[in-house]
Amino acid sequence: MNKSELTEAILKLKAEKRAVILAHYYTRGEVQAVADFVGDSLALAVQAQKTDADIIVFAGVRFMGETAKVLCPERKVLLPVPEADCSLAQSCSGEQLAAFKAEHPGAVVVSYVNTTAAVKAHTDVCCTSSNALQVVESIPADREIIFAPDQNLGAFIESRTGRRLIKWKGCCHVHDRVTAAQIEALKAAHPGVKVLVHPECRPEVVALADVAGSTAAILNACAGDDKEYIVVTENGILWEMRRRYPDKVFHAVELECDYMKMVTLENIYRTLKDESPEVEVPTEVADAARRSIERMISL
Ligand code: 13P
Ligand code: SF4
């Protein structure tokens, strides 16, 4: 089948099976186009919790599908590519976090949503890049905080809140490779143009930003009067940017998450048709992980 036949077949199956497709902004444009809802990590988690569909197809990486399953244990959650992982999620296992916690007794554990359900099960409160500052600010000033697993997001939170964090030393292999020299060169080529940066980038890159925030915050920042922007995050976001702001010009650093791009129309179609692969999370892990995600959503 070609792209438009696949799109049509997916939309038909979706209606027949009362399924919803949730997609992250980093997925391919054609994948975002068949989704019922496209969002950042926080919005996708909230949307998964709200849906009354029989089936959720998660067009994104594995931790996102797991988060949806943890929040909706009674629903069938399908993940087109279970091998689509995330370098942040890989950088810290549940056992490693438990051992790290034991070295810092009494510390509150805040974990980025880009983690396995096993890590979330050892976490007091989750956060995404949309609400990380708010989550950390909600913790009493006299409590120590462990922050896992993104050291760059951790440094961003420290710089904006003045709180010191005990940081796990993980990073996103996509955002971490951006250099300050690349941004300086783009700024020199496009003087006066605002720079929008995801806080998974290194501190010296975030320091050059006019706006540093989640994918949703970056998209919202383009709503202003400016006609051009320098975009420093995964390039899948350009699809939604150009859809929302067709007359604006975006200068982007070449950044692609190979995991996000593993999700295609072909594997979404096959997944919906076969109702497989399904996400499974052991009940005890899911119950413990759910508490940390729900604490985040309730803030
Ligand atoms: P947000 O959508 O929360 O900005 O997260 C970015 C990301 O890397 C997702 O994997
Ligand atoms: Fe993980 Fe980075 Fe890919 Fe996001 S962009 S899924 S943080 S590897």
Side-chain angles (χ1 to χ4, degrees):
M1 283 191 268
N2 63 29
K3 259 189 205 173
S4 70
E5 289 166 341
L6 271 170
T7 299
E8 215 173 293
I10 290 169
L11 298 179
K12 191 160 165 276
L13 273 177
K14 193 158 68 90
E16 277 168 21
K17 298 193 177 213
R18 277 190 33 84
V20 283
I21 301 179
L22 307 183
H24 190 269
Y25 290 128
Y26 293 165
T27 54
R28 295 165 187 270
E30 65 263 30
V31 167
Q32 297 184 46
V34 294
D36 297 272
F37 185 84
V38 184
D40 70 350
S41 306
L42 177 62
L44 289 168
V46 171
Q47 197 63 28
Q49 204 183 29
K50 282 208 300 226
T51 186
D52 63 354
D54 295 333
I55 297 178
I56 299 173
V57 179
F58 218 109
V61 295
R62 191 165 63 230
F63 78 78
M64 297 181 168
E66 271 190 7
T67 304
K69 183 66 186 177
V70 164
L71 287 171
C72 321
E74 71 294 349
R75 299 205 194 287
K76 189 176 264 188
V77 179
L78 304 175
L79 200 52
V81 194
E83 318 76 81
D85 208 328
C86 164
S87 46
L88 276 168
Q90 281 168 350
S91 74
C92 182
S93 69
E95 293 83 33
Q96 285 173 314
L97 183 59
F100 197 54
K101 271 171 78 168
E103 289 170 25
H104 303 282
V108 177
V109 181
V110 179
S111 294
Y112 195 25
V113 73
N114 295 37
T115 46
T116 60
V119 164
K120 291 185 180 79
H122 289 288
T123 293
D124 294 303
V125 53
C126 268
C127 74
T128 72
S129 44
S130 273
N131 60 19
L133 303 180
Q134 197 193 343
V135 167
V136 166
E137 276 164 348
S138 74
I139 296 166
D142 59 346
R143 298 293 301 275
E144 280 198 312
I145 301 173
I146 290 176
F147 185 78
D150 188 353
Q151 59 182 339
N152 291 340
L153 180 61
F156 172 71
I157 298 168
E158 288 182 323
S159 73
R160 297 296 160 104
T161 63
R163 295 290 292 265
R164 290 274 75 79
L165 306 175
I166 305 166
K167 299 192 287 296
W168 185 265
K169 301 226 177 314
C171 66
C172 160
H173 72 297
V174 179
H175 290 87
D176 192 63
R177 66 172 176 253
V178 183
T179 63
Q182 278 176 294
I183 310 306
E184 297 285 16
L186 275 168
K187 280 169 74 107
H190 308 285
V193 172
K194 285 202 177 110
V195 181
L196 316 177
V197 177
H198 198 284
E200 286 173 13
C201 293
R202 293 177 185 205
E204 62 271 26
V205 172
V206 175
L208 296 171
D210 294 286
V211 174
S214 70
T215 48
I218 288 177
L219 276 160
N220 291 338
C222 300
D225 293 336
D226 300 50
K227 294 280 173 256
E228 290 180 47
Y229 295 93
I230 294 172
V231 180
V232 192
T233 190
E234 210 276 352
N235 289 173
I237 201 171
L238 295 171
W239 191 84
E240 177 65 9
M241 276 182 173
R242 291 182 177 132
R243 194 189 68 79
R244 283 196 204 178
Y245 313 108
D247 301 329
K248 300 197 177 192
V249 177
F250 303 104
H251 309 283
V253 177
E254 243 343 286
L255 280 187
E256 201 165 274
C257 174
D258 32 352
Y259 295 124
M260 286 284 188
K261 297 303 186 268
M262 287 165 86
V263 184
T264 62
L265 289 179
E266 285 82 357
N267 52 45
I268 290 178
Y269 171 71
R270 204 186 49 239
T271 300
L272 249 179
K273 188 162 160 289
D274 301 345
E275 298 191 21
S276 170
E278 194 174 341
V279 183
E280 303 288 356
V281 181
T283 311
E284 335 71 83
V285 176
D287 289 347
R290 191 175 310 114
R291 284 193 282 277
S292 67
I293 305 169
E294 286 182 341
R295 234 171 254 141
M296 163 184 88
I297 291 176
S298 71
L299 277 174

